[in-house]
Amino acid sequence: MRATNMNEGDRPLASLPLRPPRAPHSVSGHSPATASAFLLPTRFGAGGLGGCYAPETLMQPLLDLEEAFRKAVEDPSFETELKSELRHFVGRPTPLTSAPRLAAKLGLKALFLKREDLTHTGAHKINNAMAQALLARRMGKTEIIAETGAGQHGVAAAAACARLGLSCTVYMGVVDMARQAPNVARMRLFGTQVVPVEAGQGTLKEAVNEALRAWAARCDKAHYILGSALGPHPFPTLVRTFQTVIGEEARAQVLEQTGALPDSVIACAGGGSNGLGLLVPFLGDALHRFAVEAGGHGSALGEHAARLDGGRMGVLHGCKTLLLQDQHGHTAETASISAGLDYPALGPELAALALDGQIEVLRASDDQALEAATWLCESEGILPALESSHALALLPELAKRGFATVLLGLSGRGDKDLATYQSKLGI
Amino acid sequence: MRATNMNEGDRPLASLPLRPPRAPHSVSGHSPATASAFLLPTRFGAGGLGGCYAPETLMQPLLDLEEAFRKAVEDPSFETELKSELRHFVGRPTPLTSAPRLAAKLGLKALFLKREDLTHTGAHKINNAMAQALLARRMGKTEIIAETGAGQHGVAAAAACARLGLSCTVYMGVVDMARQAPNVARMRLFGTQVVPVEAGQGTLKEAVNEALRAWAARCDKAHYILGSALGPHPFPTLVRTFQTVIGEEARAQVLEQTGALPDSVIACAGGGSNGLGLLVPFLGDALHRFAVEAGGHGSALGEHAARLDGGRMGVLHGCKTLLLQDQHGHTAETASISAGLDYPALGPELAALALDGQIEVLRASDDQALEAATWLCESEGILPALESSHALALLPELAKRGFATVLLGLSGRGDKDLATYQSKLGI
Amino acid sequence: MNPLLPFIMAGDPSLESLPRLLAEAKALGIEALEIGLPHSDPIADGPVLQAAAHRAIQRGATPLRVLETLAGLTESPDLILFTYLNPLLQIGADRLMELLRPTPVKALLVVDLPDSEEVEFEARLRSAGYPMIPLLSPTTDLERAKGLLERRPDPGPGHPFAQRFAYVVARLGVTGTGSATDLKPVGERVAALQTLSSRPLAVGFGLSDPAALGAVRAMGATPVIGSALVQALAAGEGFGSFLNPRLA
Amino acid sequence: MNPLLPFIMAGDPSLESLPRLLAEAKALGIEALEIGLPHSDPIADGPVLQAAAHRAIQRGATPLRVLETLAGLTESPDLILFTYLNPLLQIGADRLMELLRPTPVKALLVVDLPDSEEVEFEARLRSAGYPMIPLLSPTTDLERAKGLLERRPDPGPGHPFAQRFAYVVARLGVTGTGSATDLKPVGERVAALQTLSSRPLAVGFGLSDPAALGAVRAMGATPVIGSALVQALAAGEGFGSFLNPRLA
Ligand SMILES: Cc1ncc(COP(=O)(O)O)c(C=O)c1O
Ligand SMILES: Cc1ncc(COP(=O)(O)O)c(C=O)c1O
């Protein structure tokens, strides 16, 4: 057998497609440039989603953050730092795995999985968490605040902070703490303080509320690492920019492995960070893009987290977007078996792309997601996160619609969800 | 920021250093070539460890296995198949992570971690499991039998079987099933049947007993994927050959990252698969090689799994090696907080290298391993498997002895051990 | 100078008692009062106001019912509607103006609406007589403060305090009584702002004891009392008995 | 032809009863008997013999005590010591030969010792009069069987059955009663082996009922009865009462 050279060091360097939002959905009439002190576009799409609806206390920190971000992405030393951590710590590039047995089972010609489950800490969240932690260090911040739903962003932030020597506090709803208990333990082992949030339904929305409050109190010393493509500008742009590495890699990999693009690309969407991360680099391509929301256990308000059909335009957590709300403008309760999708607002850029016809948004129910997880386990030996299972659940629908080659974003691994899988599937 | 190309497809191909054991420890006077029908060396080192002490029922299956192995490693199509699975499914090459904060804390100049925790399923075990599953498929076997201790090999075998469409049965001691419960759930999700083994102390040794018995009953249809570098020939050679990819990668990576070799290389050792996998490629180098056994909670027989000092030459599970046993030649009880190191025999090749002065074998206690895990968590944001924590625990000793640059094999991630960490560390 | 700007949460303790409370405030000589619209996600509020909003919502204090309750009240101080943006957006500018017209509301303080974000919405309300109160925080430097004060200008001495003042946040963080706020930095801030304009200033966040209120008055600014008052009302204390010792 | 080769586990039910059992066997006309040395890790044994070994070890049936118990016994069939290798290795060839000399042990059946692995150890025992019994299994093809029989040769008709026979494993798997073994394949195997040599053959694994034993005898081979006997003895049945109906 020929001894060729298997050497991580020889891998081509990561490209960080750190660039402002694309023209088609970056400019908005809603936000006259004169009034905003931001230099990057703050709005997305024809509807002008996004913006920066923040209390005044957070405005200067957000301006500072945008400035630091703009400078960092122009600074080759930041690129070097980030690439090095992504490669040597996070484990990028992640593989693109062909899943022939599952494809055959579901009537697809080919299925490719972008394996964010193989990153350090087990989900795509670390791409953004590590990048923002490096940014925070450049800004001279010594403390990190983060929110978490599924716990994957919290674990990612905790890991990045331990690695860089930053202190870290993570806010997490008490319901999420119970259903994602392994991730609570992991954060604590990394030296992070996990603060239980009792308010409301004890899930991601309340955790964001509390993290925003904590940041307002500590914004002189602390950076807030928001975990999805939501919140006030510049967070959606920042998070999306740090996540498009997923789609940039995947696009090159599928071309390299098959010589062609797939006919469809699909990812689950909570706030939208992995969805945008995977889909944005395919925006110029002639293929179908899908994002899958949590259909929960019913179609009435409060029984799901499907914002496209169920939501109306509104403002929550600093941005304007599709929001599940009652007629008074109060945020509605949501329900999903997956903590990471259990959030009432679709990230503004993803919502804009959906409204502008660039991305089709579908939903998968709790039961569909659970069943889809077993397909991947049994056909390919990969245990998906409950979030990612929502994307898997739509594959039969894609096959029915005539799509044959699908690229799917496997945003995370299912270890955190074992207790749920066990109890719901009777394992 | 320059847009260089981050593309997994451009990574250099994996080298599979599939070669017979090295000359210095491959020939033995104990095993006249005339009597053995094997073509590869069956013995290791000056002491002639290893061999093939198998019941006659298993001899022909073992001969067939050696033949299939020899043919496979000469067959470019096997190399292609295996490399493709290692790259696209397993996630190789794994990173080599510099751990500057932990190095500083422990008084080392530099510390490098070979990140087997980032492989699919979370430990080095998948390298071997996938390779043997491919071999089994080539042999026309449709069933897989495996044993598991920590559950990592069982999960790896289960994943490989699901991926290739082979049916899989894993034997696991009842004590291990309790302490590594997440891995039991993972195997079951992959469609594997997990058979509880009640006998004896309910750990790895009994699981191997039962797997060998099951194989004897099904050896016409089933292949036995042994999970460590132990058992009758050709298993130790097979497993070690499929694991040296760890050290081959690590050696090239450390040279590439630093321009020099470290002054020491260290790994934990249960049966010895990750230890050999990491250390064998460094055998020709002028540096110090360490393997770390489980010191358990005491030095009396039954309180640890430290075979080098505590063991005598003996035969268990088909090979001659250092064995923890009583004066009657009965296998002794063992104890370790880490299921994967809780085994009474040191793999024969590793034992031979230890006796021949090529590898120094040390031990770390349960408490030392637990403490070392917290160092890595808090300083670098990486949660190690309890097994790997045993290697970490010796770093202060290495620093004390004057070693400055250490390469450490992080054999697996600690997610499976969360319950133990939580209860023992009071998290 | 207006000696006190109290804050109460509409609907807490109850919507029914609101008219009486407002009448009592007027009788006490309170010129202007901030009235909070209870919201599901009060990201700028501490535990006291979160809990008050939660209670109020539970008791049915929706934005519409609050505005209906205020409609037609004459025995009331000038009101500043303290709110988050989303409920207003859902009502819409046109309907909102209609709803506000019969009430004593004179201005809006929308916590999460920087002047850059809903320019048209804000302009329409302003021209209908409902200006947005500018907020200045410890993170707002003087340069930025100048812009904020310009873009949400003082309508001038002919207008009531409720429409003229700028709200100076005394400390980082959210509303709440918390530990005693160090008033030195905000004192300096107020002094600096006073060199920029003669606009009335209110200072809030963390004020409750008479000494702190007095210190703010000594700066030439109006102290805001919020969480402490809400807590007292929720505990059954009388509006007057709590406010009287704090009225200068 | 020897009509039956019984197997018992030394120390189960007890070491004390062993001499009596052996005397009984001799009185029943049993020519040779396999005696199992209880081992901690009996990888070739099924649940019955695992449990028997476990019980025996619990009761102190160490290899040395077993051999001591056998020392000096004259009222006994020829014994074949059925064992795993490690206990013998720990005793060492010299000491082992000494320990065996005063016993009725005539040969060794070491389950996990292929003839290739401890050539010197095996040669020394053989020259001291303790040959290793070759095992042939369903996975052993005729070519390999030939080699195995040559390398562990029949010492010839001048020697007792216990030293001459080859053990033919009737089925895949481990010892145990299990479900009724299909004897057709092993019948063909025995016939084929009988064309290779005139050496006595014993057939074992999974035999218990008289019909199966008779079928093996009809092949011209000696049936081995192991797990079924051990189970009966453990259940308190008498040696004679169990074996009598099975003695042809
Ligand atoms: C594995 C995984 N996938 C997806 C999500 C959803 O978040 P987003 O839509 O930002 O990708 C989460 C959130 O926690 C997650 O953990
Ligand atoms: C993570 C990990 N490391 C190490 C080991 C020990 O095995 P080996 O010595 O074969 O590498 C195990 C065994 O299960 C394991 O799971």
Side-chain angles (χ1 to χ4, degrees):
Chain A
M1 190 172 268
R2 201 167 28 86
T4 54
N5 197 13
M6 187 167 196
N7 181 349
E8 185 210 17
D10 290 351
R11 285 199 246 163
L13 288 180
S15 99
L16 293 177
L18 301 178
R19 49 184 194 204
R22 286 160 167 260
H25 55 100
S26 63
V27 188
S28 158
H30 290 229
S31 171
T34 47
S36 165
F38 292 109
L39 296 183
L40 295 176
T42 67
R43 299 276 176 169
F44 304 100
L49 277 60
C52 183
Y53 298 86
E56 173 58 19
T57 301
L58 294 179
M59 286 305 290
Q60 193 59 49
L62 290 165
L63 286 161
D64 293 345
L65 180 59
E66 192 206 58
E67 189 188 359
F69 170 66
R70 282 191 302 104
K71 287 199 176 141
V73 300
E74 295 299 331
D75 179 351
S77 79
F78 181 71
E79 183 182 13
T80 304
E81 236 170 32
L82 177 52
K83 276 185 185 172
S84 174
E85 288 301 317
L86 289 183
R87 165 173 297 170
H88 300 304
F89 179 68
V90 170
R92 304 210 70 87
T94 57
L96 185 75
T97 303
S98 169
R101 286 177 22 90
L102 182 54
K105 176 186 164 77
L106 301 176
L108 295 168
K109 199 165 130 253
L111 173 63
F112 298 92
L113 309 171
K114 180 56 176 167
R115 300 290 302 281
E116 296 303 296
D117 63 309
L118 289 182
T119 55
H120 180 55
T121 65
H124 69 291
K125 298 285 183 185
I126 188 77
N127 302 322
N128 167 57
M130 178 48 86
Q132 286 202 45
L134 288 169
L135 197 57
R137 192 172 66 177
R138 287 171 86 83
M139 294 173 77
K141 306 284 185 178
T142 54
E143 295 177 18
I144 296 296
I145 288 163
E147 88 297 340
T148 199
Q152 289 298 137
H153 174 58
V155 169
C161 288
R163 171 106 176 132
L164 301 185
L166 304 167
S167 87
C168 183
T169 305
V170 172
Y171 295 85
M172 188 171 190
V174 287
V175 167
D176 288 341
M177 284 181 73
R179 62 177 160 172
Q180 312 276 231
N183 279 344
V184 177
R186 294 206 287 164
M187 286 184 265
R188 290 186 172 149
L189 281 164
F190 290 154
T192 279
Q193 200 197 342
V194 182
V195 180
V197 180
E198 308 258 359
Q201 61 180 99
T203 57
L204 179 55
K205 182 195 73 163
E206 288 79 18
V208 176
N209 286 347
E210 208 52 38
L212 284 169
R213 292 179 188 124
W215 191 32
R218 305 285 299 168
C219 57
D220 48 345
K221 297 186 185 63
H223 170 63
Y224 174 23
I225 303 191
L226 220 162
S228 192
L230 46 88
H233 179 82
F235 280 117
T237 295
L238 210 112
V239 175
R240 190 271 266 158
T241 300
F242 292 140
Q243 290 290 9
T244 41
V245 66
I246 304 171
E248 297 282 336
E249 284 178 16
R251 194 171 179 286
Q253 287 168 325
V254 73
L255 282 173
E256 198 258 332
Q257 285 183 30
T258 70
L261 290 175
D263 58 29
S264 48
V265 186
I266 186 166
C268 67
S273 69
N274 96 88
L276 289 170
L278 181 66
L279 298 171
V280 162
F282 289 95
L283 277 180
D285 297 318
L287 44 69
H288 215 88
R289 292 164 293 269
F290 294 95
V292 186
E293 301 183 296
H297 55 81
S299 55
L301 195 66
E303 295 178 346
H304 61 81
R307 290 76 44 110
L308 187 78
D309 296 337
R312 285 196 324 280
M313 205 54 68
V315 168
L316 177 70
H317 293 156
C319 64
K320 182 186 273 187
T321 188
L322 285 171
L323 177 64
L324 290 169
Q325 52 182 319
D326 64 18
Q327 75 266 36
H328 312 299
H330 292 166
T331 314
E333 304 260 292
T334 53
S336 170
I337 197 168
S338 76
L341 304 185
D342 200 355
Y343 181 74
L346 192 54
E349 185 173 7
L350 188 50
L353 288 164
L355 294 175
D356 295 353
Q358 296 284 325
I359 290 176
E360 184 174 351
V361 176
L362 303 170
R363 63 168 87 177
S365 71
D366 290 353
D367 289 346
Q368 286 176 306
L370 281 167
E371 191 195 336
T374 68
W375 303 335
L376 189 64
C377 284
E378 289 167 15
S379 299
E380 300 290 346
I382 300 172
L383 173 63
L386 271 169
E387 290 77 14
S388 320
S389 299
H390 283 71
L392 290 163
L394 265 290
L395 289 176
E397 168 71 14
L398 266 54
K400 215 171 83 190
R401 289 215 219 156
F403 292 102
T405 57
V406 182
L407 194 161
L408 183 144
L410 204 71
S411 55
R413 65 180 189 231
D415 297 51
K416 69 184 179 60
D417 300 312
L418 271 174
T420 304
Y421 285 131
Q422 283 180 278
S423 74
K424 298 282 178 184
L425 297 172
I427 293 288
Chain B
M1 189 170 268
R2 199 168 30 84
T4 56
N5 196 12
M6 187 164 197
N7 181 348
E8 186 212 15
D10 291 351
R11 288 198 245 163
L13 289 179
S15 98
L16 293 177
L18 301 177
R19 49 186 196 202
R22 286 160 167 261
H25 54 99
S26 65
V27 188
S28 158
H30 289 231
S31 170
T34 48
S36 165
F38 291 109
L39 296 183
L40 294 176
T42 67
R43 299 278 177 167
F44 303 99
L49 275 60
C52 182
Y53 297 86
E56 173 59 18
T57 301
L58 294 180
M59 286 304 291
Q60 193 59 49
L62 290 165
L63 285 160
D64 294 346
L65 179 59
E66 192 205 57
E67 191 189 357
F69 170 66
R70 283 192 300 106
K71 288 197 174 144
V73 300
E74 295 298 332
D75 180 351
S77 79
F78 180 72
E79 184 183 11
T80 304
E81 236 169 32
L82 177 52
K83 275 184 187 172
S84 174
E85 288 302 316
L86 289 183
R87 165 172 299 168
H88 300 303
F89 179 68
V90 171
R92 303 210 72 86
T94 57
L96 185 75
T97 304
S98 169
R101 284 176 24 89
L102 183 54
K105 176 186 164 77
L106 301 176
L108 294 168
K109 202 166 128 252
L111 172 63
F112 298 93
L113 309 171
K114 181 56 177 167
R115 300 291 302 282
E116 296 303 298
D117 63 309
L118 288 182
T119 56
H120 180 54
T121 67
H124 70 291
K125 298 285 183 186
I126 188 76
N127 303 322
N128 167 56
M130 180 45 89
Q132 286 202 45
L134 288 170
L135 199 56
R137 192 172 68 176
R138 288 171 84 84
M139 295 172 78
K141 306 284 185 178
T142 54
E143 295 177 18
I144 296 296
I145 287 162
E147 88 296 339
T148 199
Q152 289 298 136
H153 175 58
V155 170
C161 288
R163 171 108 175 130
L164 301 185
L166 304 167
S167 87
C168 182
T169 306
V170 171
Y171 295 85
M172 187 170 192
V174 288
V175 167
D176 288 340
M177 284 181 72
R179 64 177 157 171
Q180 311 276 232
N183 279 343
V184 177
R186 293 206 289 164
M187 286 185 265
R188 290 184 172 150
L189 281 165
F190 290 155
T192 279
Q193 200 198 341
V194 182
V195 181
V197 180
E198 307 260 359
Q201 61 181 100
T203 57
L204 179 55
K205 182 195 73 162
E206 287 80 18
V208 177
N209 288 346
E210 208 53 39
L212 285 169
R213 291 178 189 125
W215 193 32
R218 305 284 299 167
C219 57
D220 47 344
K221 299 186 185 62
H223 170 62
Y224 174 24
I225 304 191
L226 220 161
S228 191
L230 46 87
H233 179 81
F235 279 115
T237 295
L238 210 113
V239 175
R240 190 270 266 156
T241 299
F242 291 140
Q243 290 290 11
T244 40
V245 66
I246 304 170
E248 298 281 336
E249 285 178 15
R251 193 171 181 285
Q253 287 168 326
V254 73
L255 282 172
E256 197 259 333
Q257 287 183 28
T258 70
L261 290 175
D263 58 29
S264 47
V265 187
I266 188 166
C268 67
S273 68
N274 96 87
L276 289 170
L278 182 66
L279 298 171
V280 161
F282 290 94
L283 277 180
D285 296 318
L287 44 70
H288 215 89
R289 291 164 293 269
F290 293 96
V292 186
E293 300 183 297
H297 59 263
S299 56
L301 194 65
E303 294 177 348
H304 60 80
R307 291 75 46 107
L308 187 79
D309 297 336
R312 287 197 321 281
M313 205 53 68
V315 169
L316 177 70
H317 293 155
C319 66
K320 183 186 271 186
T321 188
L322 284 170
L323 178 65
L324 291 170
Q325 51 182 317
D326 65 16
Q327 77 266 36
H328 310 300
H330 293 166
T331 315
E333 304 260 294
T334 53
S336 169
I337 198 168
S338 76
L341 305 184
D342 200 355
Y343 181 74
L346 193 54
E349 185 173 6
L350 188 51
L353 289 164
L355 295 174
D356 295 353
Q358 296 283 326
I359 290 174
E360 184 174 354
V361 176
L362 303 171
R363 62 169 85 178
S365 71
D366 290 352
D367 289 346
Q368 287 176 306
L370 281 167
E371 192 194 338
T374 68
W375 302 335
L376 188 64
C377 283
E378 289 166 16
S379 299
E380 300 290 348
I382 300 173
L383 173 63
L386 271 169
E387 291 76 15
S388 320
S389 299
H390 284 72
L392 290 163
L394 265 290
L395 289 176
E397 167 71 15
L398 266 54
K400 214 171 83 190
R401 291 215 217 156
F403 293 102
T405 56
V406 182
L407 193 161
L408 182 143
L410 203 71
S411 54
R413 64 179 190 232
D415 298 49
K416 69 184 178 63
D417 300 311
L418 271 174
T420 305
Y421 285 130
Q422 282 179 277
S423 74
K424 298 281 176 185
L425 298 171
I427 294 287
Chain C
M1 191 191 72
N2 181 348
L4 192 67
L5 179 56
F7 171 100
I8 63 172
M9 182 66 72
D12 185 67
S14 73
L15 265 187
E16 292 66 38
S17 62
L18 186 55
R20 187 178 38 75
L21 272 184
L22 294 178
E24 219 178 314
K26 175 140 195 206
L28 281 170
I30 302 286
E31 177 186 350
L33 181 142
E34 291 184 28
I35 181 151
L37 208 53
H39 189 50
S40 56
D41 293 277
I43 57 168
D45 288 303
V48 170
L49 297 194
Q50 286 175 45
H54 186 71
R55 286 192 300 268
I57 291 174
Q58 296 288 96
R59 292 180 193 137
T62 63
L64 292 188
R65 289 204 53 210
V66 170
L67 294 177
E68 284 163 12
T69 306
L70 297 178
L73 291 187
T74 49
E75 292 305 289
S76 166
D78 290 343
L79 299 183
I80 301 107
L81 193 67
F82 180 105
T83 179
Y84 292 82
L85 176 62
N86 197 46
L88 306 191
L89 280 185
Q90 299 311 315
I91 294 170
D94 289 338
R95 180 129 179 265
L96 182 59
M97 291 184 293
E98 263 175 55
L99 288 165
L100 290 175
R101 212 158 292 136
T103 72
V105 171
K106 291 281 172 297
L108 305 175
L109 198 165
V110 187
V111 188
D112 57 351
L113 182 59
D115 58 62
S116 54
E117 297 307 300
E118 293 292 333
V119 178
E120 194 193 315
F121 180 85
E122 180 167 346
R124 297 192 55 208
L125 285 165
R126 174 180 311 279
S127 38
Y130 300 103
M132 304 273 173
I133 299 301
L135 268 151
L136 311 172
S137 100
T139 56
T140 316
D141 66 21
L142 268 193
E143 188 60 29
R144 179 175 167 83
K146 234 166 115 177
L148 294 181
L149 295 176
E150 275 164 21
R151 288 193 297 278
R152 285 177 173 165
D154 178 1
H159 291 262
F161 171 85
Q163 296 183 320
R164 295 191 59 200
F165 77 102
Y167 191 122
V168 181
V169 175
R171 59 150 198 231
L172 290 184
V174 293
T175 60
T177 49
S179 50
T181 304
D182 172 14
L183 292 176
K184 195 159 164 283
V186 73
E188 287 163 13
R189 164 58 51 105
V190 164
L193 290 168
Q194 283 162 341
T195 68
L196 289 183
S197 88
S198 58
R199 181 172 190 163
L201 299 175
V203 171
F205 276 44
L207 306 182
S208 75
D209 62 291
L213 304 178
V216 171
R217 283 180 205 116
M219 298 170 196
T222 301
V224 181
I225 185 151
S227 299
L229 172 57
V230 167
Q231 205 158 25
L233 294 178
E237 197 169 341
F239 191 77
S241 84
F242 184 79
L243 282 196
N244 259 329
R246 290 173 169 84
L247 267 172
Chain D
M1 194 191 69
N2 180 346
L4 192 68
L5 179 56
F7 171 99
I8 62 173
M9 182 64 75
D12 183 66
S14 74
L15 265 188
E16 293 65 39
S17 63
L18 185 56
R20 185 176 44 73
L21 272 184
L22 295 178
E24 219 178 313
K26 174 140 195 206
L28 281 171
I30 302 285
E31 179 185 347
L33 181 144
E34 291 184 27
I35 182 152
L37 210 54
H39 188 52
S40 56
D41 292 279
I43 57 167
D45 288 304
V48 170
L49 297 194
Q50 288 175 44
H54 187 71
R55 287 192 300 267
I57 291 172
Q58 297 288 93
R59 292 181 192 135
T62 63
L64 293 188
R65 288 204 53 211
V66 170
L67 294 177
E68 283 163 11
T69 305
L70 296 178
L73 291 188
T74 50
E75 291 306 291
S76 167
D78 289 344
L79 298 182
I80 303 106
L81 194 68
F82 180 106
T83 178
Y84 291 82
L85 176 62
N86 198 45
L88 307 189
L89 281 185
Q90 300 311 314
I91 294 171
D94 289 338
R95 181 127 180 269
L96 182 60
M97 291 185 293
E98 261 176 54
L99 288 166
L100 291 175
R101 213 160 290 136
T103 73
V105 170
K106 291 282 172 293
L108 304 175
L109 200 166
V110 187
V111 188
D112 58 350
L113 183 59
D115 58 62
S116 54
E117 297 307 300
E118 292 293 334
V119 177
E120 194 193 313
F121 180 85
E122 181 168 345
R124 296 193 54 210
L125 285 164
R126 174 182 307 280
S127 39
Y130 299 103
M132 303 274 175
I133 298 302
L135 266 152
L136 312 171
S137 98
T139 56
T140 317
D141 66 20
L142 268 191
E143 189 59 30
R144 179 172 167 85
K146 237 167 114 176
L148 295 180
L149 294 176
E150 275 164 20
R151 288 193 299 279
R152 285 177 172 164
D154 178 1
H159 290 262
F161 172 87
Q163 295 184 319
R164 295 191 60 201
F165 78 103
Y167 191 123
V168 181
V169 175
R171 59 148 200 232
L172 290 184
V174 292
T175 60
T177 49
S179 49
T181 304
D182 171 13
L183 292 175
K184 196 161 164 282
V186 72
E188 287 163 12
R189 165 56 53 105
V190 165
L193 290 169
Q194 283 163 340
T195 69
L196 287 184
S197 87
S198 58
R199 180 172 190 164
L201 299 175
V203 171
F205 277 43
L207 307 182
S208 75
D209 62 292
L213 304 178
V216 170
R217 281 180 205 115
M219 298 171 196
T222 301
V224 180
I225 184 152
S227 298
L229 173 57
V230 167
Q231 204 158 25
L233 294 177
E237 197 168 339
F239 192 77
S241 85
F242 184 78
L243 282 196
N244 258 329
R246 289 172 170 84
L247 264 172

